[in-house]
Every structure is written in C-alpha cells, then in structure tokens.
Amino acid sequence: MQDRLHILEDLNMLYIRQMALSLEDTELQRKLDHEIRMREGACKLLAACSQREQALEATKSLLVCNSRILSYMGELQRRKEAQVLRKTGRRPSDSGPPAERSPCRGRVCISDLRIPLMWKDTEYFKNKGDLHRWAVFLLLQLGEHIQDTEMILVDRTLTDISFQNNVLFTEAGPDFELRLELYGACLEEEGALAGAPKRLATKLSSSLGRSSGRRVRASLESASGSGSGPILLPTPAVGGPRYHLLAHTTLTLAAVQDGFRTHDLTLASHEENPAWLPLYGSVCCRLVAQPLCMTQPTASGTLRVQQAGELQDWARVHGVLKGTSLFCYRQPEDADTGEEPLFTIAINKETRVRAGELDQAAGRPLTLSISNRYGEDEVTHTLQTESRGALHSWMEALWQLFFDMSQWKQCCDEIMKIETPAPRKPPQVLAKQGSLYHEMAIEPLDDIAAVTDILAQREGTRLETPPPWLAMFTEQPALPNPCSPALVAPAPARTHPMPWGRPRTFSLDAVPPDHSPGASRSVAPLPQQRSPRSRGLFSKGPPRTWLQSPV
Amino acid sequence: MSYVPGQPVTAVVQRVEIHKLRQGENLILGFSIGGGIDQDPSQNPFSEDKTDKGIYVTRVSEGGPAEIAGLQIGDKIMQVNGWDMTMVTHDQARKRLTKRSEEV
C-alpha cells in the first residue's frame, strides 16, 4: 500500500514538472522545482530526525511545501487554461471591448496575530497532573503565495496564541482573499509510550484518563495508518506528528484597517479530534494594505500652473502625482532630493477633474482643471500641459488614480504603515517545561560539585563563583531548591540522557513521566506522602454515570 | 441553559408548589431526578448544554403530586425551598428534596 502511494506521488511530481515545462513559465517553474526539492529534503529530514522538535518542524515544512505545490499547480492550470482560451478565442466579438482598467497592485501585510483560547476547568483541576501541549502554526495564503508563521508550543499556561511574525504579501489586488488556516498537532508525552511493548502500551492508553486516553488512542491509530497490524508507537520513521486543521477564516479588503480588529474563526475540528484545542473562536490581527498608487509616483511631468488670481501668469513647475496629492516642485530634481514642493494639490474622491479649453487663453487649449471643495469654498487649479499627448497621459493617470481609489477604498485615505518583517529566527531549541524543577535532580550522594556542574552547563561561563545560596546545599543536598528562578535557560534536555534520577515536584505542573527507578529514595518524606494521597483524591477521573433517583 | 462567557443569559424560572403525598412511611413528591456535579452531564437527555451539571426531572409519576402541581419531565430544578440545586451532588439533591420536616 505504501509503495503504491509512493509511486502515485512520484507520478504526480512528474506530471507537475511536465506541466510547468510545457507552459514555459520560467518563474513558476523555478518556484515549483524549488518546492519539490524542499519537500524531498523535508521527507528525508523527517525520516532521519530523532528529536521531537525536529520532527515537528520537518512535518510543518512538509505541510507548507505540499500546500505551496498544490497552489502553484492550481495557478499553472489556470494559466494553461487562459493560454488555451486565448489561442482559440480569436473571433471578432471577443476582441471587441477595449482592455478594461485594472486596479493597481498593492502590498498586504498581516501582523500581531493573536488567537484567544478558552480552557475548560477540567484542564486545571481533576487533571491528574497531565499537561497537554500542542504545536500550532498558521498558514496564510493569498492568491498563489503561501506563507507560514513560526511554530509555537501551547499549553494551558497560555491564554492566547500569539504570533510575532509580520507576513507580507506583494502583488495583491484589491479583490484579494487572504486565507488563514490554523494547524495544530497534539504533543503526547513520549516517555510513557516510547519503547514500551505493545501490550503495555494498550494497557497504558486505556488506563489513562478518558480524554487524554482518547487522544492517545486516536494518535496511535492515526500513526499506524490502516489500523490493522502492530501498533506503531510514535517513532519518526512512521511519519512523525500529524497536523490537523483546527480553524480557518478568510479576510478581504473590508477587514483592512490601520489598527487591530477581531475576526471570527470558523472552527474546523471538534473534540474527538486528537489535536483539538479549545479556541475561543476569534482571531485578532492588524491587516494593512498599501496600494502601489499610494507609495509610488504614477505620473510626472512639466506643467504650467495658473497662479491664483492672475489670469495670464503661468508658472512652470514639475508635477508629480503620488498617492492622493499632486506635488508641484520648482524643478524636477527637487522631487528626488526631498525638497518641499511649491504647493500641493489634493486629489481625493471628492476631487473633480476636467480637461477643457480656456476661453480666454489664446493658442493654449491644453488645460486641465482640478477642483476641490474645502468646506464651503471651491478651489480650482488650472494646469497646462506641453502637448496633447502629455494632456492625454495626465488624464489617463488621473482616471487610473480615481479607479484605484474606488477599488482600494479605505486604503487610499492614508498610507498605512508596513514594517518590514524581521528575518525569521531559526527555531530555538525548545525547553520542555522551562522550570528549574525539571532540569535539576540531585542525588544525596552527589556533591556540591554536581550542582555547580549543572548550573555551569546551563549558564555557560557566567557562573564563576558559587552563589551564596549554594551553602544551603551543604546541609541538605537532597532538596533541589532553586532560589534564583532566573536561571531558566533553554537546555537541550532531550539530547543528553539524564545521569541522575528524576526530580521530585508535586505541583500542578506535569511530572515527567519517565521515572527512573532510583528516583524515590532521596525524597523528603512529606512530599512523597502528599503525592500519592493527592493523586488519589484527584484521580477519580470524570464521572461516567448519570444517576436517577425518585424523590 | 447554557452559559457562554460574555453572552447574556436568558432564563424563564417558574415556581412550583408540590404538596408531598404520604405513602406509608414516606412523603413522596412523585418524580425522579437526574444529574448532579458528580455525574456525567453528557448523558443527560434533557439538557441543552451537555456540560450542564444541574438537577433535571427525568420522570413524573402519573397522578402524583408533582404532576398535579405542574412539574414536567425535562425541567431543571433551580432551588428547593431556598436550597440551591444548581451546584449540588446527586445525593445532596435527593436529600434536600426528601426532608421529612418539609411537607411542601
């Protein structure tokens, strides 16, 4: 079955490549080739990686590459169709109407994405200390461009999922549709199941609490593919973690605003899904758009402007049409050097432009009058162009500007600021819990040297002299009592096998499940007693009955 | 009634007076209850919101005092003689309804 799938996949790739070649669209072809190569690389990485975080990143890249390939394929097919239609549709009726005015392109940027979460009370209480974690990321698609955000780990300590990225799309039209998709994968604590034989795994998964057991079983089932045959425990060779679509939404020009807005999310998964996250149902973001007509000059040339009041006095200026204003500079070079223009004529939706002839002017019929209404007054500027061709091109530019303003609507009122997205940081090594409790474990037989070793490992060379609180350890080496919680550094905890026993913490945080046998002997008696008792109280699990009694 | 945080809650509450009937040694009301904070709310066939852990009327005996008073199957019981019934265990609810000292 797997082989057949591989063969089909290869055939698909071949077909895609052939299509790209036949279309002779070099840019798209290049992008497709790039994505296909990235995809192969991601597959290989997935097969080869051993750490969970790497597997997550690789699966995410795979998903992104797949989506990009699909969207490029769609674009290819569209272009192919358009090409075919153009070749066949050469009838006179088809070439009738002149080319319609098309709006200018623009840049669309979405930033400060935040998705609030709504945890149920069962996540905090009666939870048996399980800490459910998810890896989530967003996929953003505009047209055929797909971009993704970084991957974020989510657990119940977060109230929202916040993405720091700025995602920028160039070449967007005013009718753009920005599709936002949230993908998530549930992170099961591997320690409990990795390496355990099949029977033990089934026993464990059925004896876990109802909701987490359900998820583990679902993830095991999905990992094993067809479900029959031996249960394939989550090892990278199988395919790694699976991302599921959790929610999606589509944003258009109406959602663009120079500020934060909340939009509704369409939830795509329900509680049975192994990767289900309790989403509140909305997403906040800042979506801005910069049409090119606002940021780039659309026309420029020499004009003669009639001074106010003086009918015969025409001043020569260099006019630049940019955004919602016509800037008139004394000389063409002033526009580039940043000099202040002589004056500025506003061009907005209310402006009226008329090409006409001045009755009084003799021999100079090529005029343009621009009228603006300021309150009660109407101010008209009259401009003269050099030639009929120049007049025509100025008119054309102004009509195009009016059309763009009508299409881009609120984006043309003011230029919205877009910050250039910072270069993506490489994915940091993920810390498991980040708390010193889980990183430090000290046997009673170990020396103070062991403690300083651990700290030195984490801190690098910062720890020259042992801090004063270390004196506590000389009396009671058994208590891992971190006095300086600032020493939380991401440590590659997963790559080194822990040389000591597991730490003893009995807070609401998850206890790392891979207890090594030597862990219990060095614990102070009180915490140990408290633990099983408190576990007993909370480990009843959710009720399974709904009693009825007569009264 | 389901409670969605941030949304206004609407409810219609009705007061029902049931005169207990003496049946041998016991004073009975003539209906059965289900639910409670220690019960599994998803099995409740009457609740709109399947996480509602309140006390619901699951059966009304024919001709009994509850039926005469107008209590219907599927009603949610909010309080009994001042005792709250929205956040109680099943057993507590039963006890509050079957107090010997109260006849109504």
Side-chain angles (χ1 to χ4, degrees):
Chain A
M1 185 61 194
Q2 290 287 349
D3 297 333
R4 271 193 228 148
L5 280 176
H6 282 310
I7 292 176
L8 279 172
E9 272 178 17
D10 288 339
L11 277 176
N12 278 342
M13 288 297 138
L14 198 63
Y15 171 66
I16 290 172
R17 281 206 176 99
Q18 294 288 56
M19 278 276 281
L21 275 171
S22 72
L23 203 55
E24 292 166 354
D25 194 329
T26 47
E27 203 213 319
L28 207 51
Q29 184 188 334
R30 194 173 42 83
K31 282 201 269 195
L32 254 179
D33 267 345
H34 180 249
E35 289 306 319
I36 293 174
R37 260 179 281 127
M38 290 270 292
R39 185 176 179 276
E40 285 168 6
C43 286
K44 288 200 189 103
L45 183 62
L46 195 58
C49 70
S50 55
Q51 294 182 31
R52 198 171 59 183
E53 294 83 15
Q54 280 183 345
L56 282 170
E57 284 290 337
T59 317
K60 171 175 164 256
S61 324
L62 197 62
L63 209 151
V64 174
C65 289
N66 282 345
S67 319
R68 283 199 179 127
I69 290 178
L70 280 174
S71 77
Y72 290 150
M73 266 304 290
E75 180 64 23
L76 263 182
Q77 284 185 332
R78 264 194 299 276
R79 293 195 192 175
K80 190 93 177 140
E81 273 177 28
Q83 208 183 49
V84 167
L85 281 173
R86 253 181 284 132
K87 281 191 193 146
T88 56
R90 288 261 183 85
R91 286 165 296 185
S93 56
D94 284 342
S95 57
E100 279 177 20
R101 204 177 281 282
S102 62
C104 67
R105 303 282 102 182
R107 306 198 308 160
V108 173
C109 177
I110 185 167
S111 58
D112 303 291
L113 286 149
R114 186 172 65 90
I115 300 180
L117 298 167
M118 188 172 61
W119 299 105
K120 290 206 280 203
D121 55 351
T122 50
E123 194 73 28
Y124 294 99
F125 308 110
K126 292 190 177 180
N127 200 16
K128 292 202 295 197
D130 294 336
L131 184 68
H132 297 136
R133 300 170 94 208
W134 290 262
V136 296
F137 70 93
L138 274 178
L139 205 67
L140 298 140
Q141 178 171 11
L142 196 146
E144 79 245 19
H145 301 281
I146 292 186
Q147 299 207 33
D148 59 328
T149 62
E150 60 193 353
M151 185 181 69
I152 292 195
L153 288 183
V154 174
D155 56 36
R156 63 162 182 240
T157 61
L158 293 180
T159 52
D160 326 57
I161 311 175
S162 301
F163 293 101
Q164 302 300 324
N165 316 80
N166 277 15
V167 179
L168 180 66
F169 290 98
T170 53
E171 300 294 313
D175 53 352
F176 71 86
E177 281 193 6
L178 178 60
R179 191 174 153 88
L180 205 134
E181 290 175 354
L182 179 70
Y183 287 92
C186 187
L187 281 143
E188 290 306 327
E189 297 299 331
E190 261 180 26
L193 298 177
K198 172 181 165 183
R199 234 184 311 153
L200 185 55
T202 0
K203 234 194 256 179
L204 275 174
S205 63
S206 55
S207 69
L208 285 173
R210 206 153 152 266
S211 59
S212 48
R214 217 186 312 143
R215 281 182 217 194
V216 167
R217 252 178 276 127
S219 66
L220 282 178
E221 274 162 25
S222 64
S224 68
S226 55
S228 61
I231 292 182
L232 297 164
L233 297 167
T235 55
V238 180
R242 287 267 302 263
Y243 281 99
H244 299 264
L245 178 66
L246 295 175
H248 64 90
T249 185
T250 309
L251 301 169
T252 59
L253 190 66
V256 172
Q257 187 184 311
D258 198 357
F260 290 98
R261 270 182 76 164
T262 308
H263 310 275
D264 290 320
L265 269 181
T266 317
L267 301 177
S269 71
H270 49 97
E271 204 158 341
E272 293 302 320
N273 194 316
W276 182 81
L277 249 191
L279 299 166
Y280 187 68
S282 49
V283 56
C284 308
C285 65
R286 181 172 172 265
L287 181 66
V288 294
Q290 262 184 9
L292 280 176
C293 62
M294 297 293 290
T295 51
Q296 314 231 338
T298 42
S300 60
T302 319
L303 296 166
R304 280 179 205 278
V305 183
Q306 182 186 36
Q307 300 289 61
E310 316 267 329
L311 224 53
Q312 294 301 324
D313 191 358
W314 298 86
R316 231 186 118 111
V317 294
H318 179 81
V320 175
L321 180 65
K322 185 164 122 165
T324 53
S325 318
L326 176 62
F327 301 99
C328 299
Y329 296 95
R330 206 170 296 125
Q331 285 160 27
E333 297 77 32
D334 287 348
D336 300 322
T337 55
E339 284 267 331
E340 286 292 315
L342 269 180
F343 56 91
T344 310
I345 306 176
I347 311 235
N348 49 38
K349 290 180 269 229
E350 318 290 319
T351 312
R352 284 172 305 139
V353 174
R354 214 177 49 231
E357 312 203 354
L358 267 189
D359 304 319
Q360 290 87 346
R364 284 183 180 261
L366 309 159
T367 59
L368 201 63
S369 35
I370 301 176
S371 314
N372 274 315
R373 183 168 273 279
Y374 296 107
E376 291 297 320
D377 311 315
E378 182 162 332
V379 180
T380 304
H381 297 269
T382 317
L383 311 155
Q384 270 190 6
T385 56
E386 309 265 282
S387 63
R388 193 164 287 282
L391 178 65
H392 188 73
S393 61
W394 275 101
M395 288 303 292
E396 180 64 29
L398 284 166
W399 290 135
Q400 178 70 34
L401 183 63
F402 283 129
F403 183 69
D404 288 339
M405 286 203 284
S406 72
Q407 294 292 303
W408 282 99
K409 299 194 183 108
Q410 73 268 26
C411 308
C412 290
D413 294 335
E414 248 186 45
I415 297 187
M416 301 187 186
K417 222 159 76 97
I418 290 186
E419 289 162 11
T420 36
R424 188 86 75 83
K425 295 187 284 250
Q428 296 160 328
V429 177
L430 304 166
K432 192 158 153 121
Q433 269 282 107
S435 133
L436 202 53
Y437 279 117
H438 294 269
E439 301 300 343
M440 269 177 71
I442 305 155
E443 293 291 336
L445 307 173
D446 282 346
D447 246 357
I448 234 24
V451 178
T452 42
D453 274 349
I454 299 174
L455 290 170
Q457 247 181 12
R458 292 167 66 90
E459 292 294 301
T461 53
R462 246 203 284 164
L463 209 60
E464 276 107 18
T465 59
W469 51 260
L470 263 186
M472 242 169 62
F473 285 92
T474 54
E475 296 161 275
Q476 280 191 323
L479 285 176
N481 195 357
C483 298
S484 52
L487 293 179
V488 175
R494 303 198 69 77
T495 48
H496 312 175
M498 294 295 280
W500 300 283
R502 297 308 307 161
R504 279 78 56 191
T505 60
F506 305 102
S507 60
L508 278 181
D509 292 333
V511 177
D514 45 347
H515 293 268
S516 64
S520 45
R521 55 187 155 99
S522 48
V523 179
L526 182 57
Q528 173 116 64
Q529 276 172 8
R530 213 178 4 164
S531 154
R533 224 189 313 135
S534 64
R535 292 182 143 258
L537 272 179
F538 287 131
S539 60
K540 254 196 286 191
R544 294 165 192 265
T545 57
W546 201 67
L547 295 173
Q548 301 180 34
S549 28
V551 290
Chain B
M1 286 168 294
S2 56
Y3 176 65
V4 177
Q7 303 288 340
V9 181
T10 53
V12 172
V13 185
Q14 204 183 343
R15 188 174 173 280
V16 167
E17 197 171 286
I18 307 178
H19 293 262
K20 289 188 185 177
L21 181 66
R22 189 165 285 279
Q23 204 181 59
E25 268 250 327
N26 304 320
L27 282 172
I28 63 160
L29 290 158
F31 64 96
S32 297
I33 56 164
I37 56 176
D38 56 341
Q39 304 296 313
D40 179 12
S42 58
Q43 297 183 29
N44 186 344
F46 305 109
S47 59
E48 267 188 40
D49 174 18
K50 289 303 172 194
T51 61
D52 185 4
K53 294 185 170 179
I55 306 291
Y56 282 78
V57 176
T58 57
R59 192 183 61 84
V60 177
S61 47
E62 283 211 4
E67 193 184 349
I68 292 170
L71 192 66
Q72 291 183 0
I73 185 173
D75 285 348
K76 179 175 173 184
I77 304 191
M78 305 302 293
Q79 53 148 294
V80 172
N81 286 339
W83 296 101
D84 169 60
M85 297 295 252
T86 56
M87 276 278 144
V88 291
T89 65
H90 188 88
D91 218 36
Q92 282 171 349
R94 193 184 50 78
K95 282 185 185 155
R96 286 178 188 178
L97 280 164
T98 53
K99 283 185 190 295
R100 280 178 178 277
S101 55
E102 296 176 15
E103 298 204 339
V104 174

